[in-house]
Amino acid sequence: MNQDFLLDTPIARQLYNDVAADLPVIDYHSHLQQGEIASRRKFRNIAELWLGGDHYKWRLMRSAGVTEDFITGKQSDEDKFRAFCKVLSLAAGNPIYHWSHLELRRLFGIDLLINEANASKIWDQANAKLADMDTWAFLEQAKVEVACTTDDPADDLAQHAEIAASALKTRVLPAYRPDKAMRVNAPGFVDYLAHLSSVSGVKISSFESLIAALANRVEFFHARGARISDHAVDIALPAVKPSAAQLEALFAKRIGGQELNDAELGQYIRGLLEGVGRVYAKFNWAMCLHIGAQRNNNSRMMGRLGADTGYDSISDMSCSAGLASLLDALDSDDQLPKTMLFCLNPGMNEVLSTLIGCYQDGSVAGKIQYGPAWWFNDHKDGNLQQIQTLGNHGVLGTSVGMVTDSRSFASYPRHDYFRRLLCRQLGQWVEAGEYPADIDALSQIVRGVSYENAKRYFGL
């Protein structure tokens, strides 16, 4: 894993080393905690940094036969770290193998293979480095120019205000994630509405007033630097637009104590996305739709550990007709915001990469974006497939590039990983005679996809 890692042609090496390597990072979608940035959190050791809350690594360890007490249980941090090191060498082909070694080299300057034999050396050397590092150090070392967190509409963003007033070089901005308003069947939904009503000053007694309250919070977030919303779309949206009366009836049904069935839930989410989509268009925001996760499959472990602990998977739901209907309804009134479509199912790559072309209007380069390889697709083949698919059906040079989508402050070498793969693919096209060795044009693509397009697209 040297300077030429993944760069298999002279053009790829030239593009990476001369153009991509030193560009700043725009991380427009992460799950970093604003409080950990505001407080300049320090990590007690590499196990807490690498394994604390990282469901990617947890899944790998479970699959390799590590018992839960060495993952989320009561074993010591050092024993958990040793258990991870012991099994990582079995994971040939898994991106965690590449990511972990990149992190070890980029963050700590440690050029050792991660295995059982080296576990003690890595533990000692990494922990010595960590003693002088905090969350700010990770952001600044990785040249993160902008990092967007994911924040509930009812959040007061007080810690964001602290960060903005601090000396941190990285701009940390909120991003709007109304999960609690979308999860209408959740046990705490009605209580959440009362809280949202209180902070927005809008009495929420109807679906229409819910949208008004969410719009109020968009304005609040916008004044504090937010330019991006994010929505998890885990259920198929209906192809037929629900009427205002239907949406009010669904809202009343849930407020009355009844849960919505799957068809009704799809209608509710479709109505909410259309309602807030018009608000996003008004403020020139980007609407990010993360589609196709099948969450919390293991009910036993859900009860034991809770959500986001490594028991999600890819859904095979059909989503194209409902997505097209939603985008078309907004576009028909000229209120379609900039929109990014992420899909967890790689079988939908061509579907989404062709759908985005139906709603481009020339107002913004790549107004409707085919999102980067996400979650289970964020590996070498998945990234290359995403680049190739967008190249086949769209304009690769307008892509806004990669995100970490991570809770870990150690995850920023994933941007380096993506940039290497981008340069690799461009170099292979040149070698095959499918694109000229026009360094100026190739450099423009690399700079744009790696950094400049995101900065321009999101207005950062």
Side-chain angles (χ1 to χ4, degrees):
M1 192 177 281
N2 59 21
Q3 184 66 14
D4 294 337
F5 176 57
L6 297 174
L7 306 171
D8 58 356
T9 64
I11 290 290
R13 292 189 284 273
Q14 181 178 355
L15 290 173
Y16 174 77
N17 291 311
D18 294 351
V19 183
D22 293 326
L23 289 171
V25 168
I26 303 286
D27 196 29
Y28 55 86
H29 176 67
S30 80
H31 294 277
L32 300 180
Q33 298 300 303
Q34 52 174 296
E36 293 181 349
I37 301 172
S39 66
R40 302 191 66 165
R41 179 188 175 186
K42 298 184 76 169
F43 297 89
R44 61 181 178 266
N45 53 52
I46 191 172
E48 184 180 39
L49 174 68
W50 266 9
L51 301 176
D54 190 339
H55 57 79
Y56 286 81
K57 292 187 178 75
W58 293 354
R59 285 172 64 97
L60 184 152
M61 294 172 74
R62 290 173 188 136
S63 296
V66 178
T67 56
E68 198 65 31
D69 57 327
F70 285 91
I71 301 172
T72 61
K74 295 182 179 180
Q75 296 292 336
S76 71
D77 286 349
E78 184 171 359
D79 286 341
K80 290 177 179 178
F81 178 73
R82 288 180 178 279
F84 173 69
C85 291
K86 182 178 180 179
V87 300
L88 184 63
S89 57
L90 299 175
N94 192 306
I96 296 172
Y97 188 86
H98 287 162
W99 294 345
S100 298
H101 283 89
L102 282 173
E103 290 170 16
L104 202 62
R105 285 156 174 73
R106 300 294 182 269
L107 302 178
F108 302 110
I110 299 173
D111 190 16
L112 291 171
L113 288 177
I114 302 169
N115 56 34
E116 187 175 15
N118 289 331
S120 293
K121 291 180 182 178
I122 296 171
W123 176 260
D124 292 339
Q125 292 178 33
N127 290 344
K129 292 271 190 180
L130 273 175
D132 297 320
M133 299 176 74
D134 60 16
T135 53
W136 287 22
F138 287 108
L139 293 169
E140 293 180 353
Q141 180 179 332
K143 298 181 181 178
V144 182
E145 183 175 304
V146 177
C148 296
T149 59
T150 48
D151 304 279
D152 185 85
D155 198 306
D156 63 10
L157 303 183
Q159 291 171 321
H160 273 283
E162 291 179 34
I163 298 166
S166 75
L168 177 63
K169 295 177 182 178
T170 301
R171 292 174 62 207
V172 180
L173 301 177
Y176 189 83
R177 173 95 174 196
D179 277 356
K180 292 181 180 179
M182 293 181 67
R183 293 174 180 168
V184 63
N185 283 339
F189 177 73
V190 175
D191 289 339
Y192 175 73
L193 293 186
H195 178 48
L196 180 62
S197 180
S198 175
V199 299
S200 66
V202 177
K203 182 179 180 181
I204 302 175
S205 57
S206 63
F207 185 84
E208 182 180 17
S209 57
L210 170 60
I211 299 299
L214 292 171
N216 173 277
R217 300 308 289 174
V218 168
E219 186 172 4
F220 177 84
F221 272 55
H222 186 83
R224 287 150 184 82
R227 297 295 182 269
I228 302 166
S229 73
D230 180 60
H231 300 265
V233 183
D234 298 337
I235 192 167
L237 303 179
V240 177
K241 174 180 177 176
S243 68
Q246 286 176 308
L247 292 170
E248 293 296 352
L250 294 175
F251 184 87
K253 177 179 178 179
R254 181 65 185 92
I255 295 302
Q258 299 182 65
E259 291 189 1
L260 308 187
N261 60 37
D262 283 351
E264 292 171 331
L265 181 58
Q267 289 182 316
Y268 172 86
I269 292 175
R270 160 65 194 276
L272 189 144
L273 288 173
E274 185 173 340
V276 295
R278 297 177 190 279
V279 180
Y280 302 151
K282 175 182 175 182
F283 284 89
N284 195 29
W285 279 22
M287 177 172 68
C288 297
L289 304 180
H290 282 82
I291 304 156
Q294 187 166 294
R295 301 179 191 271
N296 306 316
N297 293 293
N298 189 321
S299 58
R300 177 177 60 86
M301 296 306 290
M302 173 65 177
R304 178 176 169 184
L305 300 177
D308 303 320
T309 52
Y311 297 97
D312 304 325
S313 63
I314 296 171
S315 169
D316 63 355
M317 73 177 186
S318 176
C319 64
S320 61
L323 275 176
S325 178
L326 170 65
L327 298 178
D328 191 61
L330 291 165
D331 182 74
S332 295
D333 295 334
D334 196 24
Q335 295 185 59
L336 177 61
K338 292 177 291 188
T339 301
M340 294 192 69
L341 303 180
F342 299 74
C343 193
L344 204 52
N345 186 346
M348 297 294 290
N349 282 347
E350 281 75 15
V351 172
L352 295 190
S353 66
T354 55
L355 182 60
I356 65 170
C358 300
Y359 300 101
Q360 310 287 10
D361 60 13
S363 62
V364 179
K367 177 180 177 179
I368 313 302
Q369 287 275 324
Y370 169 48
W374 165 52
W375 198 347
F376 292 115
N377 300 319
D378 188 5
H379 45 71
K380 181 174 75 72
D381 291 341
N383 278 289
L384 291 172
Q385 185 179 11
Q386 191 269 348
I387 292 166
Q388 293 161 6
T389 303
L390 182 55
N392 284 335
H393 298 298
V395 181
L396 176 60
T398 65
S399 168
V400 298
M402 177 50 62
V403 292
T404 60
D405 187 35
S406 174
R407 294 165 175 80
S408 173
F409 286 87
S411 65
Y412 282 102
R414 295 183 198 177
H415 281 264
D416 179 70
Y417 192 65
F418 170 79
R419 291 173 181 183
R420 289 173 179 273
L421 291 169
L422 173 66
C423 294
R424 173 193 178 107
Q425 183 61 66
L426 292 171
Q428 288 180 353
W429 281 332
V430 172
E431 286 287 305
E434 298 171 14
Y435 193 90
D438 183 341
I439 295 300
D440 288 342
L442 291 163
S443 298
Q444 181 181 359
I445 293 172
V446 172
R447 281 194 303 272
V449 176
S450 299
Y451 168 67
E452 292 174 351
N453 293 347
K455 186 169 185 175
R456 180 171 53 248
Y457 182 82
F458 297 111
L460 303 174

